[in-house]
Amino acid sequence: SYAPQQGWGAYLADYLDSSVSVSNRAIAGRSSKSFYDNGRLDTILGEIKAGDYLMVQFGINDSAASNAERYAPVCGSATNPTNGSFEFYIEKYVEGALDKGATPILVTTVIGLKAYSGGKFVNSYGNYCQAMKDIAAKYNIPCIDLNTLIADIYDEMGQEAVKACFTDADWTHTSEKGARINAEVVAGQIAQLKGCKLKKLLE
């Protein structure tokens, strides 16, 4: 019903080996907190198996300070996260996957067309992206910095061409074109992860 709005999870399988099965559980308007509180993580953990991979990307909706259901502020500590913080919730996903014998892969948030300043695309939601990196380092798991990678790609494309990567509504949600670009970048980064079984399927 939101077409042509789409997220990259819908197209990830198109850039992986056909033997890889992708189950896209992303849903619009959720934060790490509300996704968890709604029981969506529990549903995933009830189905995920040893050897699977859980890709986790949050940040934009977590920053909505005016929305108590979504808001999960960055506390700045991956070592000892504050209860209710972004780091606190991301650890729920990481530890839940690890407990099931699965491998979590964290992904920093995408950027929107509004992330354009001084004639170039710049990183956005930097504190949330850094929190993802810090949690990944703590657990020694992969973190794909999509925020930075996409900014570089958009710069090469140019601001006018990048407009086609978003829906007209808010310049935040990607169109099919934008979603496919993100999916291709994520798949390319998976191919570079050391020790990742998915990498072998991509070679």
Side-chain angles (χ1 to χ4, degrees):
S1 63
Y2 288 98
Q5 176 182 314
Q6 190 56 274
W8 59 263
Y11 304 113
L12 183 61
D14 294 348
Y15 301 95
L16 300 175
D17 187 90
S18 60
S19 64
V20 178
S21 175
V22 176
S23 179
N24 179 27
R25 302 302 177 90
I27 182 169
R30 301 308 192 275
S31 67
S32 62
K33 177 184 185 298
S34 63
F35 195 96
Y36 175 81
D37 289 345
N38 293 162
R40 293 182 178 276
L41 175 59
D42 286 337
T43 298
I44 291 172
L45 297 181
E47 300 174 14
I48 202 167
K49 298 178 177 61
D52 286 346
Y53 290 83
L54 177 64
M55 304 194 74
V56 182
Q57 181 188 60
F58 289 106
I60 295 178
N61 289 308
D62 297 80
S63 68
S66 61
N67 189 322
E69 181 184 7
R70 299 179 181 180
Y71 189 44
V74 170
C75 71
S77 174
T79 304
N80 188 27
T82 302
N83 186 31
S85 67
F86 180 69
E87 292 93 335
F88 171 85
Y89 284 107
I90 293 301
E91 284 200 340
K92 298 289 187 183
Y93 296 79
V94 172
E95 293 183 356
L98 293 174
D99 286 345
K100 293 291 184 174
T103 301
I105 298 177
L106 304 184
V107 184
T108 60
T109 189
V110 294
I111 67 170
L113 190 65
K114 295 176 182 178
Y116 190 81
S117 177
K120 64 180 295 183
F121 284 92
V122 297
N123 293 98
S124 56
Y125 303 97
N127 54 342
Y128 284 92
C129 293
Q130 187 59 53
M132 280 292 212
K133 296 173 185 176
D134 292 343
I135 293 293
K138 175 180 177 178
Y139 288 92
N140 193 28
I141 58 174
C143 181
I144 296 174
D145 190 7
L146 187 58
N147 197 273
T148 297
L149 293 166
I150 290 299
D152 292 342
I153 289 174
Y154 285 172
D155 273 335
E156 292 178 8
M157 292 174 63
Q159 186 184 27
E160 197 60 34
V162 170
K163 288 182 179 180
C165 295
F166 295 90
T167 57
D168 292 333
D170 58 7
W171 301 121
T172 298
H173 296 92
T174 51
S175 62
E176 178 178 335
K177 178 177 181 178
R180 286 190 178 280
I181 290 174
N182 281 287
E184 185 174 10
V185 172
V186 170
Q189 290 299 298
I190 289 173
Q192 298 180 41
L193 296 178
K194 295 181 179 179
C196 179
K197 293 179 180 179
L198 290 175
K199 174 183 176 180
K200 296 179 181 179
L201 298 172
L202 287 165
E203 292 174 343

